[in-house]
Amino acid sequence: METGKIRDDFPIFQERTELSYLDNAATTQKPAQVIEAVEKFYSQNNSNVGRGLYDLAADSTKAYSQARKNIAEFIGADADETVFVRGCTEAVNLLASSLDIEGRMALPELAHHSEQLPWRENFEEIDFIPVKDGKIDIDAAEELITQKTAVVSVPHVSNVYGTVQPVEQLVELAHENDALVVLDAAQSVPSMPVDFHELDVDFAMFSGHKMLGPTGIGVLYGKRNLLEEMTPYQVGGGMVDSVTKQEVEYKPAPEKFEAGTPNIAGAVGLSAAVDYLRQFEPEEILEHERELNRHLVKQLRTIEGIKVLSPVEATITSFTAEFAHPHDIAEVLNQNNVAVRAGNHCAQPLMEKHGINGTVRASPYIYNTEKDVRRLVRAVKEAKRVFDV
Ligand SMILES: Cc1ncc(COP(=O)(O)O)c(C=O)c1O
């Protein structure tokens, strides 16, 4: 991967030349191509969508629907199955509130709070699937997923360990038991080829800001027949075919779920992010992340008192230190221009399982280099000198 050339596309690295940004699982930086697409939309095409009859309104509506089509193609979906939302969190809330379904829910204990809490509000009976060596324990899942299970939720890539989960096996298991499968693709769509049709998941979601796009835009994917059956949890302008004092007729999906003025510029920006990501070979980003993590895990393991939770083939490195709290380590890293996340990563039940209050998490992306890895390791050694007294 030509990281030097890639970094040149990111204005933030021209400003902060010494920054080792390793918090990409939280959010990624934005290339000029995305920033320019948003700016161009506002300076040349801005209007509301699906409403005005003038040329500018037609241009804006066209840009919005082209963005949807482009993003849908990128994730192996059709445009009418691709609902724009604010991000993953909104997508799961929309789904959990709109899906009229009863039964038990199977939820891996490593699920992000955004993947857990909306379901926990709406489902009374949750079966937590345990995790073994950073992955969902399939044997345990086989015991827990039964004909009583209505929905199985699966994170594609863990935001704590950076491990790819056995999605295909879980889809098979869920469908054998007539349960729906919901894929949290927040950490996979940015880094690996993902085709929702091929995976045969019933619903899926991801956030644009974790894949070079703007904040406030993401996608809920749903199989057409399932979206058709669902009642929208928000209603308002733009999503109705007709309204009389007696009756309301909703538009079909995806508009049915997009009440009010949507994030048009966000969709245009996310479409530009997708175009940017298309320059990479299918497994190139994943391999690049794995390569950097391999080095990171190996070097961290040589430091006494450091415990690495992520396996060596992961795309994210989570670790703890016997000699300091994760926040203290992160502060020393910060003083050395290394930005990482420290905390529970919105996965408190998983932290509880490990008997810890958090980890330090380094998550590389397309613009990170060996230099970032070396700097991080050096700073961890410095933290050990400071705190290990
Ligand atoms: C696996 C996973 N799911 C869901 C989310 C929630 O995404 P957002 O905050 O963009 O809604 C995140 C964000 O960290 C995540 O890592």
Side-chain angles (χ1 to χ4, degrees), residues 150-225:
V151 181
V152 178
S153 184
V154 190
H156 204 170
V157 172
S158 157
N159 69 308
V160 176
Y161 305 114
T163 39
V164 181
Q165 300 300 313
V167 174
E168 288 82 357
Q169 282 165 281
L170 283 158
V171 171
E172 209 179 310
L173 197 54
H175 286 168
E176 270 169 20
N177 286 284
D178 304 313
L180 296 174
V181 182
V182 181
L183 184 72
D184 176 353
Q187 299 292 346
S188 60
V189 171
S191 303
M192 60 196 265
V194 180
D195 186 313
F196 293 146
H197 282 168
E198 206 174 289
L199 285 170
D200 195 26
V201 290
D202 299 291
F203 296 99
M205 59 278 300
F206 58 94
S207 298
H209 69 94
K210 292 184 196 287
M211 51 186 287
L212 311 177
T215 50
I217 187 79
V219 163
L220 166 68
Y221 159 81
K223 282 183 179 165
R224 190 174 291 107
N225 62 318

Side-chain angles (χ1 to χ4, degrees), residues 94-376:
L94 187 165
L95 198 53
S97 309
S98 308
L99 205 58
D100 186 15
I101 198 162
E102 283 182 4
R104 300 184 75 87
M105 162 105 204
L107 195 58
E109 60 185 0
L110 53 57
H112 188 281
H113 293 167
S114 292
E115 190 191 337
Q116 289 197 31
L117 302 189
W119 295 113
R120 287 170 63 167
E121 284 290 316
N122 288 277
F123 265 85
E124 281 184 3
E125 294 176 303
I126 309 264
D127 294 310
F128 284 96
I129 312 175
V131 173
K132 215 165 87 184
D133 302 327
K135 292 202 182 176
I136 295 167
D137 182 341
I138 281 290
D139 293 336
E142 275 175 11
E143 296 286 315
L144 288 168
I145 298 170
T146 67
Q147 281 292 322
K148 291 187 180 147
T149 311
V151 181
V152 178
S153 184
V154 190
H156 204 170
V157 172
S158 157
N159 69 308
V160 176
Y161 305 114
T163 39
V164 181
Q165 300 300 313
V167 174
E168 288 82 357
Q169 282 165 281
L170 283 158
V171 171
E172 209 179 310
L173 197 54
H175 286 168
E176 270 169 20
N177 286 284
D178 304 313
L180 296 174
V181 182
V182 181
L183 184 72
D184 176 353
Q187 299 292 346
S188 60
V189 171
S191 303
M192 60 196 265
V194 180
D195 186 313
F196 293 146
H197 282 168
E198 206 174 289
L199 285 170
D200 195 26
V201 290
D202 299 291
F203 296 99
M205 59 278 300
F206 58 94
S207 298
H209 69 94
K210 292 184 196 287
M211 51 186 287
L212 311 177
T215 50
I217 187 79
V219 163
L220 166 68
Y221 159 81
K223 282 183 179 165
R224 190 174 291 107
N225 62 318
L226 296 171
L227 289 178
E228 264 167 29
E229 285 167 17
M230 282 162 50
T231 312
Y233 88 132
Q234 276 184 20
V235 290
M239 48 79 75
V240 280
D241 266 336
S242 77
V243 182
T244 64
K245 284 183 182 163
Q246 290 76 34
E247 271 179 36
V248 181
E249 205 176 303
Y250 300 133
K251 282 186 174 162
E255 285 86 0
K256 181 168 79 168
F257 299 103
E258 295 178 7
T261 301
N263 184 353
I264 313 160
V268 168
L270 179 53
S271 178
V274 159
D275 287 340
Y276 190 89
L277 289 171
R278 283 201 171 100
Q279 71 179 286
F280 301 106
E281 296 296 322
E283 299 275 336
E284 201 179 348
I285 301 177
L286 195 70
E287 268 317 307
H288 177 70
E289 291 175 356
R290 281 191 169 142
E291 173 83 4
L292 293 180
N293 275 294
R294 251 192 304 273
H295 292 188
L296 197 47
V297 170
K298 280 188 185 155
Q299 291 179 53
L300 286 173
R301 280 190 181 152
T302 64
I303 306 174
E304 214 187 308
I306 293 289
K307 185 170 174 228
V308 181
L309 274 74
S310 305
V312 86
E313 80 280 7
T315 57
I316 291 173
T317 304
S318 265
F319 63 95
T320 56
E322 269 172 15
F323 46 84
H325 188 280
H327 288 177
D328 294 326
I329 302 274
E331 180 46 32
V332 176
L333 296 191
N334 177 44
Q335 285 165 14
N336 284 275
N337 285 322
V338 182
V340 292
R341 169 94 189 265
N344 59 49
H345 316 298
C346 301
Q348 282 188 27
L350 186 63
M351 298 295 126
E352 199 183 321
K353 180 191 170 91
H354 282 287
I356 54 179
N357 50 17
T359 75
V360 181
R361 182 186 70 180
S363 50
Y365 202 41
I366 50 174
Y367 31 67
N368 291 114
T369 63
E370 287 289 338
K371 189 176 165 194
D372 299 322
V373 170
R374 283 197 300 273
R375 192 180 269 164
L376 186 147

Side-chain angles (χ1 to χ4, degrees), residues 25-139:
T27 200
T28 56
Q29 299 303 337
K30 319 300 170 200
Q33 289 84 339
V34 169
I35 298 168
E36 280 161 17
V38 173
E39 194 192 340
K40 184 173 167 218
F41 172 78
Y42 279 128
S43 47
Q44 295 179 18
N45 289 322
N46 179 52
S47 158
N48 214 322
V49 288
R51 292 153 170 82
L53 296 173
Y54 42 90
D55 285 353
L56 186 60
D59 290 347
S60 173
T61 303
K62 194 168 152 204
Y64 186 59
S65 61
Q66 274 177 348
R68 192 193 306 276
K69 197 162 161 276
N70 191 28
I71 295 160
E73 260 170 37
F74 187 69
I75 50 167
D78 293 332
D80 60 349
E81 301 168 315
T82 304
V83 179
F84 282 129
V85 287
R86 272 196 298 136
C88 245
T89 306
E90 187 177 63
V92 188
N93 275 283
L94 187 165
L95 198 53
S97 309
S98 308
L99 205 58
D100 186 15
I101 198 162
E102 283 182 4
R104 300 184 75 87
M105 162 105 204
L107 195 58
E109 60 185 0
L110 53 57
H112 188 281
H113 293 167
S114 292
E115 190 191 337
Q116 289 197 31
L117 302 189
W119 295 113
R120 287 170 63 167
E121 284 290 316
N122 288 277
F123 265 85
E124 281 184 3
E125 294 176 303
I126 309 264
D127 294 310
F128 284 96
I129 312 175
V131 173
K132 215 165 87 184
D133 302 327
K135 292 202 182 176
I136 295 167
D137 182 341
I138 281 290
D139 293 336

